Amino acid sequence: MNFSECFKLSSQLCKFSPDGKFLASGVQYRLVVRSTNTLQILQLFTCLDQIQHIEWSSDSLFILCAMYKRGIVQVWSLEQPDWHCKVDEGSAGLVASCWSPDGRHILNTTEFHDGKGPLGHNLKSLLSEQLATSHLPLFSYALIKLLTPDQICLWKLRITVWSLCTKSVSYIKYPKACQQGIAFTKDGRYMALAERRDCKDYISLFVCSDWQLLRHFDTETQDIAGIEWAPNGCVLAVWDTCLEYKILLYSLDGRLLSTYRAYEWSLGIKSVSWSPSSQFLAIGSYDEKVRILNHVTWKKIADFEHPVTVASPKTVVYKETEKSPAVEMDKLLFPPSKTEASSLFSTKSKYEITPLPVSLHNVKPAADRANPRIGVGMLAFSSDNCFLATRNDNIPNAVWIWDMQQMKLFVVLEQLCTVQLFQWDPQQSRLAICTANSRVYLWSPAGCVSVQVPMEGDFQVISLCWHSSGNSLALMSKENFCLCYLESEAEEVK
């Protein structure tokens, strides 16, 4: 395994192009585009303000930079570096920006403030500050969630569709302010949009070629939290607020195929993920379970629990251990060299198979706080559908890997630090994990490995992303990034 040199970075803005040829990174107000093969700078673009979001077009010819504070989006061309486009939303507050699947339209979600009403902007401040810092008791959070959508008119959202080809502008009204309110089918033909109008949730389906409305139907939800298409584009999953355990499955023509509710009167759905084959829908819940629905009957076929103690003899538990290297004092020079000084204070980690039963590190959530640290908040299927990786937020140091062919727990990886992120290799069953320290961790059915990132200074890996080939990883710290080049699995895992 080899590593590149270290490069500057801001706000973890580092993304490979869809074709894998380029790597874009944001450094304050500059956009740097490099060749993934040589890491040489190909283009350097200067934006009008600090970049807060970057996104490649689907064909890798354009890249979008959003500056939410200024309400501006700038688009740059890789083929024609002298060409650029600026979209200024003016007085409307820009809250989100993304590409359409064809890479020739920009969808900007804008916010129109309306301070009318007895509570005015005070309630908006309460929402933004107290919910963000999790200082609001759960019953108050539930009350405000019920009042916010319709009874108090504080702000309105609108989606503006800007065409790079015809320079035309289209508007979509009533988008809902939720965590995941826009979803495109994988083939790019259709867009689903969560809406809120007349005190009720709706879904609108649009044809992406001309942005014409295809279907419009209401949903049996209290407050939609998110929507997501199955990879085959045939079924749309719609799930309700965490205060109401409900997930609904709709066909492309708007028919309700099924409704699933696991329980009532408790916090419900926290995360949702489709398998790449569209055969399974995984639902992570606040009760620390993952429920698997099948694509034929939409009934539950498996319950994956996350107990504090792992006792099943068919499960392998890898525990990360750490030790300091031995130093031969009689051979130590004074003053020591940089390499020797680093080795004196460095520690090495490796995985060890732990005898069962194993008690995992558990964090007790605060019962009187909003957004409690409990339940399955992270889950992802491997690209070949064979495995599902999960993290139970109140057991934050563990990654659970489930065998989807036998529907059972396969492996548990217990880290020394909190798991920040994990992501599957897009080409094979290989999982990369980071825990905000100077290491990156890799697991495959052949075994697992802990790798020290050989960078000077404090390089803590807080995020990562795979190249589309699966041959390299971008590792990101707070202010820098580097590339990790992977060798073959036989050489990597010993």
Side-chain angles (χ1 to χ4, degrees):
M1 186 178 294
N2 297 311
F3 293 84
S4 73
E5 62 179 295
C6 200
F7 302 99
K8 285 288 184 183
L9 185 69
S10 298
S11 305
Q12 301 169 46
L13 296 174
C14 181
K15 290 188 178 180
F16 289 106
S17 60
D19 64 6
K21 295 180 180 178
F22 309 109
L23 177 64
S25 59
V27 185
Q28 299 297 328
Y29 56 89
R30 290 189 175 92
L31 176 69
V32 184
V33 180
R34 302 175 186 272
S35 164
T36 53
N37 291 329
T38 64
L39 293 182
Q40 295 297 310
I41 296 177
L42 302 177
Q43 299 294 340
L44 181 62
F45 302 109
T46 303
C47 295
L48 296 171
D49 205 336
Q50 183 167 339
I51 305 168
Q52 294 175 271
H53 172 69
I54 63 174
E55 186 175 328
W56 286 96
S57 62
S58 56
D59 56 8
S60 304
L61 296 180
F62 297 94
I63 188 164
L64 171 156
C65 298
M67 289 140 277
Y68 297 132
K69 293 179 182 178
R70 289 275 296 268
I72 293 174
V73 173
Q74 289 184 268
V75 183
W76 307 96
S77 169
L78 271 293
E79 284 189 327
Q80 304 175 49
D82 294 332
W83 178 94
H84 71 277
C85 167
K86 183 182 81 168
V87 177
D88 191 343
E89 294 292 349
S91 60
L94 181 65
V95 294
S97 184
C98 68
W99 285 105
S100 66
D102 66 359
R104 295 299 179 269
H105 294 81
I106 300 168
L107 280 70
N108 284 345
T109 304
T110 54
E111 179 183 70
F112 295 87
H113 297 278
D114 183 0
K116 299 176 183 179
L119 297 182
H121 286 286
N122 292 331
L123 181 56
K124 186 174 181 184
S125 299
L126 184 70
L127 281 169
S128 60
E129 293 174 13
Q130 293 196 350
L131 288 182
T133 56
S134 300
H135 291 321
L136 199 63
L138 189 57
F139 70 89
S140 300
Y141 171 61
L143 176 62
I144 288 178
K145 285 293 287 182
L146 292 175
L147 290 175
T148 300
D150 305 289
Q151 295 179 3
I152 301 166
C153 184
L154 288 179
W155 63 92
K156 301 175 182 177
L157 295 181
R158 182 179 73 182
I159 293 178
T160 309
V161 183
W162 302 84
S163 172
L164 296 186
C165 300
T166 64
K167 298 182 181 180
S168 62
V169 181
S170 305
Y171 298 100
I172 301 175
K173 296 181 180 180
Y174 312 114
K176 185 176 176 64
C178 60
Q179 185 179 10
Q180 194 173 330
I182 298 177
F184 295 99
T185 55
K186 193 174 181 180
D187 60 11
R189 295 179 62 187
Y190 304 106
M191 180 186 82
L193 177 69
E195 298 180 351
R196 183 80 178 186
R197 60 173 83 178
D198 302 324
C199 303
K200 195 167 179 58
D201 286 337
Y202 292 86
I203 296 292
S204 286
L205 304 181
F206 294 88
V207 180
C208 293
S209 58
D210 56 10
W211 303 106
Q212 293 299 308
L213 182 65
L214 178 67
R215 294 282 187 277
H216 175 73
F217 53 91
D218 62 350
T219 63
E220 299 174 7
T221 53
Q222 296 281 345
D223 185 7
I224 289 178
I227 60 176
E228 187 173 344
W229 286 103
N232 61 14
C234 295
V235 180
L236 179 70
V238 178
W239 58 97
D240 214 335
T241 169
C242 65
L243 303 173
E244 184 81 15
Y245 197 118
K246 183 188 290 185
I247 190 162
L248 306 105
L249 289 311
Y250 291 95
S251 65
L252 190 57
D253 60 6
R255 288 181 297 113
L256 179 61
L257 301 175
S258 184
T259 301
Y260 179 73
R261 304 184 71 165
Y263 51 80
E264 294 183 277
W265 311 115
S266 186
L267 290 177
I269 296 172
K270 191 167 188 178
S271 55
V272 173
S273 180
W274 286 98
S275 68
S277 65
S278 304
Q279 290 177 298
F280 304 118
L281 179 61
I283 307 169
S285 310
Y286 280 91
D287 69 345
E288 305 177 48
K289 293 182 181 180
V290 174
R291 292 167 175 85
I292 307 296
L293 307 187
N294 74 83
H295 73 298
V296 179
T297 63
W298 301 114
K299 302 296 182 183
K300 183 185 71 174
I301 58 173
D303 254 346
F304 294 160
E305 298 185 2
H306 296 74
V308 175
T309 301
V310 179
S312 172
K314 296 183 179 180
T315 302
V316 178
V317 178
Y318 292 99
K319 187 167 186 173
E320 182 189 4
T321 59
E322 196 172 57
K323 66 177 182 177
S324 299
V327 179
E328 298 182 25
M329 300 303 293
D330 57 332
K331 296 182 180 180
L332 187 64
L333 300 176
F334 187 83
S337 65
K338 271 190 176 182
T339 304
E340 288 174 328
S342 176
S343 67
L344 282 173
F345 300 100
S346 67
T347 56
K348 293 184 178 180
S349 84
K350 64 176 183 177
Y351 285 109
E352 292 181 350
I353 297 178
T354 307
L356 300 176
V358 177
S359 293
L360 305 173
H361 171 65
N362 183 38
V363 176
K364 187 176 180 180
D368 60 342
R369 300 289 180 90
N371 304 319
R373 187 183 293 180
I374 188 171
V376 182
M378 195 183 299
L379 44 79
F381 283 93
S382 61
S383 58
D384 58 6
N385 298 283
C386 291
F387 299 99
L388 173 69
T390 63
R391 188 194 71 185
N392 185 13
D393 291 349
N394 51 303
I395 309 179
N397 293 13
V399 177
W400 310 66
I401 299 174
W402 308 84
D403 186 331
M404 294 306 297
Q405 294 175 327
Q406 300 186 36
M407 290 291 172
K408 68 176 185 179
L409 182 60
F410 186 56
V411 164
V412 177
L413 305 175
E414 187 179 19
Q415 309 295 135
L416 290 171
C417 303
T418 300
V419 174
Q420 301 292 315
L421 183 71
F422 54 71
Q423 198 174 94
W424 288 101
D425 183 331
Q427 299 297 327
Q428 58 178 294
S429 290
R430 181 165 54 180
L431 187 71
I433 305 166
C434 62
T435 62
N437 58 18
S438 59
R439 305 183 187 101
V440 62
Y441 307 89
L442 295 169
W443 174 88
S444 75
C448 50
V449 64
S450 167
V451 181
Q452 181 74 31
V453 180
M455 296 294 164
E456 291 186 6
D458 188 24
F459 190 95
Q460 296 184 340
V461 185
I462 57 178
S463 186
L464 52 82
C465 65
W466 285 95
H467 187 272
S468 56
S469 67
N471 294 330
S472 61
L473 271 167
L475 307 178
M476 290 157 263
S477 70
K478 189 175 181 180
E479 297 179 344
N480 300 282
F481 79 93
C482 71
L483 288 196
C484 169
Y485 300 96
L486 279 69
E487 300 167 353
S488 67
E489 189 172 289
E491 296 172 314
E492 187 178 287
V493 180
K494 297 181 181 180

